[in-house]
């Protein structure tokens, strides 16, 4: 302690500027408040000294005004200016001084005088600086006034104390009295403690005296208890007092607990991993964790929502709000709706349907005729051709695999379009939106969080390893201490030149407080005692500093006592061993020395006798063996400790290097986050315009999709109407075929009935036409002559009657068939009108589609220009890229240019990939050339095969044409023939007809027998009737002769001209009918002759 007090710190030292070569200095400690003037010529001590700032050490000492003034500053905030007897000499006279700065923390650090001596500037360590206006004698600013000291002090206005934390005079007085009372109470406590210590010392002396007596004379320990119930009473009182104190402090404890909980919630609950330091065991190396905050609930919710949207059907990566919603029947370039051949999906579906229909159309061919079999074969071939033609792509079809390959090549072909190009248009799927940019920021934040947490997990794992290593090392250190104690007790080996100093064992290791910050909540009794001592020491320092203006003298008086060695409040610098560093000499050596001294200085006669007896050779050899074994064990333990220390330090160094790299990466990530934020702000500014453009485009796309749907609907309706029209045509053909079956070519009335069947009637005026005919028939006979000349030309206008000699039932059936035909024709006409309306509607929709395509193209151009503008603004944001010098290959004349604006940051991986891609492209080109050659050869071969097939088909078509012309005289439409002559209903009717014919044939045979019987009876009756008829005939002839005779007589007597004319007209009509019948018979005979010559039918006429 005396040596420590003799050491005095040097505060300042400076040479004087006179010719004496002396220097002045200020010291701390006991020499504080003095200025010492020394010389190199007087090494035994200072030449002179003078007081400056009594009670406080001088922190600033300097001469000013050419050595005529002395400027001083002290640790208690005082500034002092004093004149000197001669330049750079000793001070004299009364000084000017003022307490400008704080007396506790305002240690003056600098004092300076202006060049004219008018202003004094002072600064202190509490951050304050004052400028004083002073008037010095002989200064240029103002002539000095008469003053005995040669220095005039300007009036200093002391400001009021406005700090609410400062004490008022009354509060300071009360505080001083309170401190005085506390000091007296502490002194009384110390007196009581000294008295108790004295009693304890006497008691311990009695116990030692009792233990020194023989066993028989010793008193039991219970005899020393004066009042046996006193201890229990004191313990009960203590417990009661503790309970009372606990109840009194319950509210304060709850308040402190809530305050602590709030502080934890504010500062620690948001932190996932706080800052933890991990020190090396041997070196001074250390590494810390990444102080990582928890991801907020908002960030986690945004991440979850974004990830859910990205995995959904309309994710952020599928075009966002600008996705082109197109139907399956539309085209991209505004073309019309493609048919089945243009859509692979529809072709495959139609092919599968055709195949299913073909497979399901299984017919029993055992009961079919040859014509039916041929018809089925033709249908099968047609279905096969339809299926085959469906697989043929149209001219606009593109293979999806080729399209995908081309798209992939365009995206990854390696041209690397620069985004800084003003004509660069970013692809739609890569266009950035505020939502995508926010997602990037969230993902980057999550990645940074994951990196920090991964490192922290490994850090904490290494800390756990350190705990185990420290525990194991401490165990080994304890063993080493035991070994060292044993070696010390054995003494020096025989033959050693002198006593050997005991080898010091390694110190124990422990974790520092900053390595286990979670233990800050664990408070031990030692921590409480240390806190109390530190608090008392701080209070003593505050009281001794005179911060209350001298009112706390009682507290300051007790402060020096706390500084004495061994005092309760004194804390050494090495009170606890530092973790990972060698502590002061351990207690093992002291224990060993104490054991050796006890063994040497023992007063036991037996021990002295044993030490006086020399050891035998066997004992010495055993002792030497034991020593070697202990030394070997010690060296092994020391080696293991060294290995463990080195291994842990290596692991810590590796983790430390890794953290350096991670810190650099995280800094880059933070810089990238700043860039993302700037881009996000910019994108939000552009978002409104972009949303408007996207809505316009989406409206155009919706309108176009609506038009495409309408066009597809029109196409479907057209197809449906066409198929229905084909059905109506087939039904009309079936009616015609039914007429052909009903009226064959051999029928003598075919021509008249065909004319009636094919006659066109105005069906809406049918009834009126019939009324006109009746009116015509009821006209007077006077008009018969005028109408008789036009009978041949008025077939449609005249009354339609059954041809003479034709069966009335056949005529009525033909009329019914005509009505069916007219109904079908009316339906066909209506369907044709509907088809025409649909075709015009489709043309209108196609025109609207073209207009919408033009508008969509204009909106798309606006979006493209907007994206260019947005990309240009994004390109103006600076992006930080870390590069090493060897990565810079942009050199001019072998040197790095001053302007790197024309440089391009490019990835080495991509550059290598482009170089490899050159060889890959050469190989692909060679493969494609060989493949193209093979395809050309295959194409030529297919052309030859196609030509051969076409020649064969032409030959077969020619043969079929010749056969049809030879047999039928014209080309037969087999499809129409099948539709007319064959139908599923007809086949069923034929089968039913066959069954009925068989049944009716049996009935006819029975009726034939009955008819034969009845015929015989009829013949008998016929003979009898014939005889009667002959008699009637004879009588009739006789009557006609008589009537003829009478008529001839009447004609000769009277002649009626009107009756005669009617008879002539009837005769002429009969002749006309006869001529017409003969002409019809001639035409029918001609038709029969032509049919017999050509085997033709009127169906194809």
């Amino acid at each position: 302690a005396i040596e420590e007090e003799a050491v005095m710190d040097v505060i300042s030292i400076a040479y004087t500027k006179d010719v004496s070569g002396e220097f002045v200095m200020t010291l701390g400690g006991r020499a504080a408040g003095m200025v010492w003037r020394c010389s190199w010529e007087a090494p035994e001590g200072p030449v002179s000294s003078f007081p400056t700032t009594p009670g406080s050490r001088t922190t600033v000492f300097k001469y000013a005004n050419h050595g005529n003034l002395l400027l001083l500053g002290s640790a208690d905030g005082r500034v002092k200016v004093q004149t000197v007897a001669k330049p750079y000499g000793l001070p004299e006279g009364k000084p000017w001084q003022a307490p400008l700065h704080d007396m506790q923390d305002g240690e003056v650090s600098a004092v300076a005088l202006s060049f004219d001596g008018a202003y004094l500037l002072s600064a202190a360590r509490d951050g304050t600086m004052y400028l004083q206006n002073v008037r010095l004698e002989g200064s240029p600013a103002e002539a000095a006034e008469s003053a005995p000291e040669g220095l005039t002090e300007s009036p200093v206005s002391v400001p009021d104390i406005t700090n609410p934390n400062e004490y008022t005079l009354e509060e300071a007085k009360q505080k001083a009295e309170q401190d005085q009372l506390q000091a007296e109470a502490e002194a009384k406590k110390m007196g009581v403690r000294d008295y108790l210590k004295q009693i304890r010392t006497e008691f311990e002396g009695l116990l030692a005296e009792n233990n020194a007596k023989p066993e028989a004379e010793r008193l039991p320990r219970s005899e020393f208890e004066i009042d046996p119930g006193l201890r229990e009473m004191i313990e009960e009182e203590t417990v009661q007092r503790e309970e009372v104190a606990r109840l009194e402090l319950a509210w304060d404890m709850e308040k402190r607990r809530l305050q602590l909980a709030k502080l934890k919630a504010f500062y620690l609950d948001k932190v996932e991993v706080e800052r933890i330091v991990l020190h090396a065991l041997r070196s001074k190396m250390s590494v810390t964790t990444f102080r990582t905050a928890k991801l907020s609930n908002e960030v986690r919710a945004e991440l979850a929502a974004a990830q859910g949207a990205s995995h959904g059907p309309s994710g952020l990566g599928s075009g966002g709000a600008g996705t082109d919603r197109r139907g399956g029947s539309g085209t991209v370039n505004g073309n019309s709706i493609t048919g089945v051949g243009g859509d692979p999906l529809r072709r495959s579906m139609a092919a599968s349907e055709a195949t299913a229909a073909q497979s399901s159309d299984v017919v029993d061919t055992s009961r079919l005729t040859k014509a039916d079999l041929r018809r089925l074969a033709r249908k099968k071939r047609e279905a096969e051709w339809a299926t085959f033609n469906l697989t043929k792509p149209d001219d606009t079809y593109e293979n999806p695999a080729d399209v995908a390959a081309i798209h992939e090549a365009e995206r990854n072909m390696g041209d690397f379009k620069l985004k800084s190009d003003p004509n660069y248009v970013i692809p739609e799927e890569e266009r950035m939106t505020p939502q995508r940019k926010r997602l990037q920021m969230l993902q980057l934040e999550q990645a940074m969080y994951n990196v920090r947490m991964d490192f922290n997990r490994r850090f904490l794992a290494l800390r756990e390893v350190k705990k185990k290593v420290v525990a194991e090392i401490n165990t080994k250190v304890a063993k080493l201490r035991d070994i060292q104690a044993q070696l010390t007790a054995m003494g020096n080996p025989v033959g050693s030149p002198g006593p050997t100093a005991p080898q010091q064992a390694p110190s124990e290791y422990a974790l520092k407080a900053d390595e286990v910050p979670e233990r800050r909540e664990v408070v031990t009794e030692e921590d409480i005692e240390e806190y109390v001592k530190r608090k008392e020491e701080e209070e003593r320092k505050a009281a001794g500093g005179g911060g209350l203006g001298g009112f706390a003298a009682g507290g300051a008086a007790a402060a020096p006592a706390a500084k004495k060695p061994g005092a309760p409040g004194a804390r050494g610098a090495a009170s606890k061993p530092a973790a990972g560093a060698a502590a002061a000499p351990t207690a093992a050596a002291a224990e060993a020395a104490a054991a050796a001294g006890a063994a040497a200085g023992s007063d036991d006669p037996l021990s002295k006798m044993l030490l006086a007896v020399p050891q035998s050779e066997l004992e010495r050899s055993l002792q030497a063996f034991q020593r070697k074994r202990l030394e070997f064990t010690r060296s092994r333990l020391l080696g293991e400790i060294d290995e463990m220390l080195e291994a842990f330090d290596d692991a810590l160094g590796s983790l430390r290097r890794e953290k350096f790299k991670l810190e650099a990466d995280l800094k880059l990530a933070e810089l990238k986050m700043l860039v993302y934020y700037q881009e996000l702000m910019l994108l939000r500014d552009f978002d409104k315009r972009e949303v408007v453009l996207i809505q316009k485009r989406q409206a155009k796309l919706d309108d176009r999709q609506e038009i495409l749907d309408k066009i597809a609907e029109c196409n479907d309706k057209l197809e449906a109407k066409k198929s229905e029209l084909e059905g109506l045509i087939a039904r009309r053909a079936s009616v015609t075929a039914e007429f052909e079956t009903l009226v064959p070519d051999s029928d003598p009335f075919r021509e008249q009935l065909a004319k009636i069947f094919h006659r066109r009637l105005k069906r809406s005026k049918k009834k009126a036409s019939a009324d006109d005919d009746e009116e015509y028939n009821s006209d007077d006979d006077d008009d018969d002559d005028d109408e008789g000349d036009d009978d041949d030309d008025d077939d449609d206008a005249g009354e339609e009657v059954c041809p003479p000699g034709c069966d009335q039932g056949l005529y009525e059936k033909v009329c019914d068939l005509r009505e069916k035909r007219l109904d079908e024709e009316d339906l066909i006409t209506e369907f044709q009108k509907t088809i025409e309306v649909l075709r015009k509607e489709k043309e209108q929709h196609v025109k609207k589609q073209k207009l919408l395509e033009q508008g969509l193209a204009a909106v798309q151009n606006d979006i493209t220009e907007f994206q260019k503008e947005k990309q240009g603004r994004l390109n103006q944001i600076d992006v930080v890229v870390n590069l090493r010098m060897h990565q810079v290959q942009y050199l001019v004349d072998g040197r790095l240019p001053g302007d790197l604006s024309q440089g391009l940051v490019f990835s080495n991986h991509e550059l290598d990939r482009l170089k490899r891609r050159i060889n890959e492209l050469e190989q692909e080109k060679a493969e494609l050339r060989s493949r193209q050659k093979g395809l050309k050869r295959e194409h030529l071969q297919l052309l030859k095969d196609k030509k051969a097939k076409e020649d064969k088909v032409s030959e077969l078509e020619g043969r079929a044409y010749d056969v049809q012309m030879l047999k039928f005289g014209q080309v037969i439409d087999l499809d129409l023939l099948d539709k007319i002559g064959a139908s599923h209903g007809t086949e069923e009717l034929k089968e039913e007809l066959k069954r009925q014919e068989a049944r009716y044939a049996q009935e006819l045979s029975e009726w034939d027998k009955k008819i034969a019987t009845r015929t015989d009876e009829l013949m008998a009756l016929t003979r009898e009737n014939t005889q009667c008829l002959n008699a009637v005939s004879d009588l009739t002839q006789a009557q006609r002769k008589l009537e003829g005779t009478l008529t001839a007589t009447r004609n000769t007597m009277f002649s009626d001209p009107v009756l005669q004319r009617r008879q002539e007209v009837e005769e002429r009509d009969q002749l006309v009918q006869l001529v017409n019948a003969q002409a019809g018979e001639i035409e029918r005979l001609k038709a029969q002759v032509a049919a017999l010559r050509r085997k033709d039918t009127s169906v194809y006429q």
Side-chain angles (χ1 to χ4, degrees):
I2 296 175
E3 293 178 356
E4 291 181 359
E5 291 178 357
V7 176
M8 293 174 289
D9 299 330
V10 177
I11 304 302
S12 63
I13 185 170
Y15 276 103
T16 60
K17 296 184 179 181
D18 53 0
V19 296
S20 63
E22 297 177 351
F23 60 91
V24 293
M25 63 179 178
T26 61
L27 303 176
R30 293 183 303 165
M34 299 289 292
V35 175
W36 306 87
R37 190 178 184 93
C38 304
S39 175
W40 295 107
E41 299 177 357
E44 65 276 8
V47 177
S48 62
S49 63
F50 56 91
T52 56
T53 55
S56 179
R57 55 192 177 92
T58 302
T59 58
V60 176
F61 176 87
K62 61 187 300 185
Y63 287 98
N65 196 11
H66 303 288
N68 296 322
L69 292 177
L70 183 61
L71 305 180
L72 300 171
S74 64
D76 57 357
R78 287 180 293 175
V79 178
K80 188 176 182 180
V81 181
Q82 192 171 7
T83 58
V84 295
K86 62 178 181 177
Y88 302 102
L90 297 177
E92 65 176 4
K94 184 179 180 180
W96 177 92
Q97 61 180 356
L100 299 179
H101 301 279
D102 186 72
M103 301 180 69
Q104 295 291 334
D105 301 323
E107 179 180 344
V108 179
S109 58
V111 180
L113 195 65
S114 62
F115 70 97
D116 58 352
Y119 296 94
L120 178 68
L121 181 66
S122 63
R125 297 189 182 276
D126 59 350
T128 59
M129 184 170 62
Y130 287 93
L131 182 63
Q132 291 292 120
N133 184 7
V134 296
R135 294 190 300 273
L136 301 179
E137 184 177 350
S139 62
E142 183 180 354
E145 299 180 357
S146 60
E149 295 82 11
L151 179 66
T152 304
E153 179 180 357
S154 62
V156 178
S157 61
V158 180
D160 293 337
I161 299 176
T162 59
N163 189 359
N165 297 326
E166 294 292 339
Y167 292 114
T168 62
L169 295 177
E170 182 63 26
E171 289 175 349
K173 183 178 180 181
Q174 293 177 1
K175 181 65 176 176
E177 293 176 355
Q178 184 180 1
D179 292 342
Q180 182 66 28
L181 293 176
Q182 289 181 356
E184 293 176 356
E186 289 293 334
K188 187 175 181 180
K189 288 179 183 178
M190 290 300 297
V192 175
R193 291 191 185 100
D194 294 339
Y195 178 68
L196 291 175
K197 184 177 181 181
Q198 180 180 358
I199 294 176
R200 185 179 294 109
T201 304
E202 294 177 357
F203 183 72
E204 290 175 356
L206 292 175
L207 290 177
E209 183 180 355
N210 185 47
N211 293 330
K213 291 183 178 182
E215 185 69 25
E217 297 179 2
R218 291 179 187 173
L219 293 174
R221 185 66 174 82
S222 59
E223 295 295 334
F224 289 91
E225 294 183 1
I226 301 173
D227 189 357
L230 181 62
R231 181 183 298 276
E232 297 177 358
M233 183 180 64
I234 292 175
E235 291 178 355
E236 291 177 358
E237 290 179 357
T238 304
V239 171
Q240 293 176 0
R241 291 172 63 186
E242 288 178 354
E243 185 65 25
V244 171
R246 187 178 296 108
L247 293 176
E248 291 176 353
L249 298 175
W251 188 86
D252 290 337
M253 290 173 61
E254 184 65 19
K255 179 182 178 182
R256 300 299 185 270
R257 188 187 65 81
L258 293 176
Q259 290 176 348
L260 181 60
K262 289 182 179 180
L263 290 174
K264 288 181 180 178
F266 186 79
Y267 290 104
L268 296 180
D269 289 353
K270 298 179 182 179
V271 178
E272 189 78 27
V273 178
E274 57 183 321
R275 185 178 183 275
I276 305 174
V277 183
L278 191 62
H279 298 276
L281 293 174
R282 178 172 289 175
S283 63
K284 296 182 179 180
M285 183 172 53
S286 64
V287 64
T288 61
T289 58
F290 288 109
R291 193 175 189 274
T292 308
K294 294 180 180 178
L295 290 178
S296 61
N297 297 330
E298 293 78 7
V299 173
R300 294 181 185 275
E302 289 184 12
L303 275 172
Q307 292 173 357
S310 62
H311 293 302
S314 59
L316 295 171
S318 60
T323 304
D324 188 2
R325 298 186 298 172
R326 300 183 177 92
S329 59
T331 57
V332 176
N333 297 325
N335 298 329
S336 60
I337 305 300
T338 58
V340 176
D343 192 350
L345 180 60
R346 291 191 175 186
R347 289 202 305 271
S348 61
M349 292 174 62
S352 61
E353 291 176 359
T355 306
Q358 181 179 358
S359 61
S360 62
D361 194 11
V362 179
V363 182
D364 186 9
T365 59
S366 61
R367 301 176 63 183
L368 297 179
T369 62
K370 292 183 179 180
D372 295 334
L373 293 176
R374 286 195 297 272
R375 185 173 68 254
L376 292 176
R378 284 196 300 272
K379 287 184 177 180
K380 184 177 180 180
R381 285 195 298 272
E382 288 175 359
E384 291 177 355
W385 272 108
T387 304
F388 178 73
N389 288 330
L390 288 175
T391 60
K392 178 183 178 181
D394 58 359
D395 296 336
T396 61
Y397 172 72
E398 294 180 351
N399 190 3
D402 295 339
V403 173
I406 292 172
H407 183 63
E408 183 68 18
E410 288 177 353
R411 293 186 59 185
N412 302 318
M413 65 189 302
D415 53 353
F416 292 100
K417 296 181 178 64
L418 295 178
K419 293 184 178 180
S420 58
D421 187 3
N423 296 325
Y424 174 72
V425 179
I426 189 169
E428 186 172 357
E429 64 273 8
E430 297 179 3
R431 290 175 183 173
M432 191 56 60
T433 60
Q435 293 78 16
R436 293 184 181 179
K437 184 58 65 177
R438 178 59 180 165
L439 178 60
Q440 284 186 355
M441 294 177 66
L442 293 175
Q443 291 175 349
L444 180 59
E445 185 175 356
Q446 187 180 26
M448 294 167 62
Y449 172 80
N450 293 334
V451 168
R452 291 191 180 100
M453 289 305 298
D454 181 64
F455 176 82
N456 291 338
R457 280 191 289 270
R458 286 183 280 125
F459 179 91
L460 296 175
L462 185 61
R463 188 181 68 166
E464 295 298 324
V465 171
K466 181 178 180 180
K467 291 179 180 178
K468 296 179 181 179
V469 168
V470 167
E472 190 171 355
I473 289 176
N474 291 337
T475 304
K476 296 181 182 299
V477 168
K479 294 180 180 180
L480 286 173
R481 289 176 178 174
D482 295 339
I483 293 173
Q484 188 63 37
Q486 294 179 18
L487 291 174
T488 304
M490 288 181 182
N492 297 327
V494 179
S496 59
T500 58
Q503 186 175 359
Q504 184 178 353
S507 61
E508 292 185 353
Y509 294 88
L511 296 178
K512 288 186 178 181
D514 55 357
E515 292 181 323
V516 281
E518 60 271 14
R519 293 183 183 176
R520 58 175 168 262
E521 299 180 4
V522 179
V523 181
T524 61
E525 295 295 336
E526 291 78 6
D527 295 334
I528 295 175
E529 293 179 0
E530 183 180 357
Y531 172 76
V532 171
K533 293 177 182 178
R534 187 168 64 252
K535 192 71 174 176
E536 292 176 353
E537 186 176 355
E538 291 177 357
E539 291 178 355
R540 292 191 189 99
K541 288 182 178 180
L548 300 176
F551 293 101
K563 299 296 182 178
K564 295 180 181 180
R571 294 178 64 239
S575 60
K576 291 185 179 181
T586 60
E591 292 174 359
S602 177
D603 295 335
D604 191 359
L606 181 59
S607 299
K608 293 181 179 181
M609 183 180 64
L610 290 175
L611 291 175
V613 176
Q615 294 180 349
S616 64
E617 186 66 27
L618 178 59
E619 290 176 346
R620 287 195 299 271
S621 61
L622 290 174
Q623 186 177 3
F625 172 76
Q626 186 69 15
R627 176 181 292 277
K628 290 181 180 180
R629 185 177 65 82
L630 293 175
E631 290 177 352
F632 173 76
T633 305
R634 182 179 62 183
S635 61
R636 180 176 59 81
L637 291 174
L638 290 174
E640 292 176 355
I641 291 173
D642 291 339
E643 291 178 359
M644 295 172 69
L645 294 175
E646 185 177 358
F648 177 78
D649 288 355
D650 291 342
L652 186 68
S654 176
L655 191 66
R656 184 166 174 264
R657 290 189 295 272
E658 184 178 357
K659 189 192 176 183
F660 289 155
K661 296 179 181 178
L662 291 178
E663 282 179 342
D665 296 339
L666 290 173
K667 288 299 179 184
L668 290 177
E670 291 174 358
L671 293 174
K672 184 180 290 186
M673 182 68 75
L674 293 176
V675 174
Y676 282 174
Y677 180 75
Q678 295 176 1
E679 293 177 351
L680 178 62
M681 294 296 101
L682 190 61
L683 289 172
R684 285 179 177 173
D685 294 338
F686 281 97
D687 189 49
K688 294 181 181 179
R689 293 171 55 191
E690 187 173 8
V691 168
V692 172
L693 291 174
I694 289 175
Q695 289 177 354
K696 288 183 180 179
R697 184 181 67 175
Q698 192 61 42
K700 295 290 183 182
L701 290 174
D702 294 340
D703 294 341
R704 188 184 70 171
Q705 185 62 37
E706 184 179 359
I707 294 297
L708 292 176
D709 294 339
K710 290 182 179 179
I711 293 175
E713 184 180 358
C714 290
N715 284 333
D716 296 338
K717 289 182 179 180
L718 284 174
E719 293 295 333
K721 294 296 181 182
K722 287 180 180 179
S723 62
E724 292 180 5
L725 182 62
E726 291 177 357
L728 293 175
I729 293 173
R731 286 167 57 183
R732 186 181 65 178
S734 65
V735 172
T736 304
E738 188 176 356
F739 171 77
E740 295 295 337
T741 304
L742 184 63
V743 184
D745 294 339
S746 60
D747 195 311
F749 300 98
R750 176 178 174 80
E751 184 177 359
Q752 291 87 349
L753 294 176
K755 187 175 181 180
I756 293 171
F757 177 75
H758 292 292
R759 183 179 181 182
R760 296 184 177 274
L761 298 176
K762 296 181 179 179
R763 306 191 69 191
S764 61
K765 298 180 180 181
K766 180 178 179 180
K767 185 175 181 180
S769 300
D771 296 338
D772 293 341
D773 293 340
E774 291 177 359
E775 185 179 358
Y776 168 78
N777 292 331
S778 63
D779 285 344
D780 296 337
D781 294 336
D782 297 339
D783 298 335
D784 291 340
D785 296 337
D786 297 336
E787 296 175 357
D789 298 336
D790 300 332
D791 285 340
D792 296 337
D793 300 328
D794 197 16
D795 294 338
D796 293 338
E799 181 182 3
E800 186 178 85
V801 297
C802 178
C806 180
D807 188 7
Q808 184 67 27
L810 180 61
Y811 171 75
E812 291 178 355
K813 290 182 179 179
V814 170
C815 291
D816 294 338
L817 290 176
R818 184 182 64 184
E819 291 296 327
K820 291 183 180 179
R821 181 183 64 80
L822 292 176
D823 292 340
E824 299 297 334
E825 287 182 352
D826 291 342
L827 291 175
I828 290 172
T829 303
E830 292 178 0
F831 271 90
Q832 287 177 349
K833 291 180 180 179
T834 304
I835 290 172
E836 186 65 25
V837 171
L838 290 175
R839 188 177 292 109
K840 290 181 180 179
E841 183 179 358
K842 177 184 175 182
E843 290 176 356
Q844 293 177 358
H845 290 326
V846 170
K847 291 180 181 179
K848 291 181 180 179
Q849 181 189 2
K850 292 181 179 179
L851 295 176
L852 287 174
E853 291 293 342
Q854 294 176 0
L856 183 62
V859 173
Q860 192 65 36
N861 291 333
D862 294 340
I863 292 176
T864 302
E865 295 298 327
F866 170 76
Q867 293 295 335
K868 288 181 180 179
E869 180 184 356
K870 183 172 72 173
Q871 187 63 40
R873 291 288 301 277
L874 290 174
N875 290 337
Q876 295 177 4
I877 299 176
D878 294 332
V879 180
V880 179
V881 180
N882 265 355
L883 293 177
R884 294 184 174 90
M885 291 301 297
H886 71 276
Q887 292 178 291
V888 180
Q889 300 181 6
Y890 176 46
L891 303 177
V892 177
D893 297 333
R895 295 182 179 180
L896 186 66
D899 183 14
L900 294 176
S901 60
Q902 300 299 322
L904 175 65
V905 179
F906 204 77
S907 172
N908 288 328
H909 174 72
E910 295 295 334
L911 186 61
D912 296 337
R913 189 178 67 83
L914 288 178
K915 292 179 181 179
R916 293 194 303 269
R917 185 59 181 163
I918 295 174
N919 299 327
E920 293 175 0
L921 289 175
E922 293 294 336
Q923 296 177 0
E924 291 179 3
K925 287 170 63 177
E927 293 176 358
L928 290 174
R929 288 194 187 97
S930 60
R931 186 177 176 184
Q932 185 183 15
K933 291 180 181 179
L935 290 175
K936 283 184 178 180
R937 290 193 295 268
E938 185 178 358
H939 180 66
L940 294 175
Q941 185 63 33
L942 290 175
L943 289 177
K944 292 180 182 178
D945 296 342
K946 181 181 178 182
K947 187 175 181 181
K949 295 291 183 181
E950 288 177 351
D951 295 340
K952 187 175 181 180
V953 169
S954 300
E955 181 183 356
L956 292 176
E957 288 180 351
R959 290 172 58 186
Y961 177 79
D962 295 339
V963 171
Q964 288 182 359
M965 294 301 296
L966 181 62
K967 289 185 177 181
F968 308 110
Q970 64 180 357
V971 178
I972 305 300
D973 189 354
L974 297 179
D975 294 335
L976 183 60
L977 184 62
D978 289 338
K979 292 179 181 178
I980 294 175
S983 65
H984 190 64
T986 304
E987 298 298 330
E988 293 179 354
L989 291 175
K990 286 182 179 180
E991 294 295 331
E992 183 65 24
L993 181 62
K994 288 180 180 180
R995 289 193 297 270
Q996 290 182 2
E997 285 178 353
R999 186 173 67 254
Y1000 292 156
Q1002 185 178 359
E1003 293 179 0
L1004 284 174
S1005 62
E1006 295 177 357
W1007 282 106
D1008 286 340
K1009 294 178 182 180
K1010 294 179 181 180
I1011 289 172
T1013 304
R1014 298 297 181 184
T1015 301
D1016 295 338
E1017 297 177 358
L1018 180 62
M1019 291 185 65
L1021 294 174
T1022 302
R1023 290 189 191 99
E1024 183 179 355
N1025 190 23
T1026 302
Q1027 293 175 2
C1028 294
L1029 289 175
N1030 289 332
V1032 171
S1033 176
D1034 293 339
L1035 292 175
T1036 302
Q1037 288 180 358
Q1039 183 181 0
R1040 285 183 177 180
K1041 287 180 180 180
L1042 291 174
E1043 289 178 353
T1045 303
L1046 290 174
T1047 301
T1049 303
R1050 188 177 56 186
N1051 290 336
T1052 56
M1053 293 177 63
F1054 178 76
S1055 177
D1056 190 359
V1058 176
L1059 182 61
Q1060 185 177 1
R1061 187 174 178 179
R1062 282 185 178 179
Q1063 290 178 355
E1064 291 177 357
V1065 170
E1066 289 177 356
E1067 290 177 358
R1068 187 181 65 179
D1069 292 340
Q1070 291 177 359
L1071 291 175
V1072 169
Q1073 291 179 358
L1074 179 62
V1075 170
N1076 291 334
Q1078 291 176 355
E1081 184 67 21
I1082 292 171
E1083 293 295 331
R1084 186 177 62 80
L1085 292 175
K1086 287 181 180 180
Q1088 290 179 357
V1089 170
L1092 291 174
R1093 288 178 179 177
R1094 296 181 298 172
K1095 295 183 180 181
D1096 195 5
T1097 175
S1098 62
V1099 176
Y1100 306 101
Q1101 296 177 359

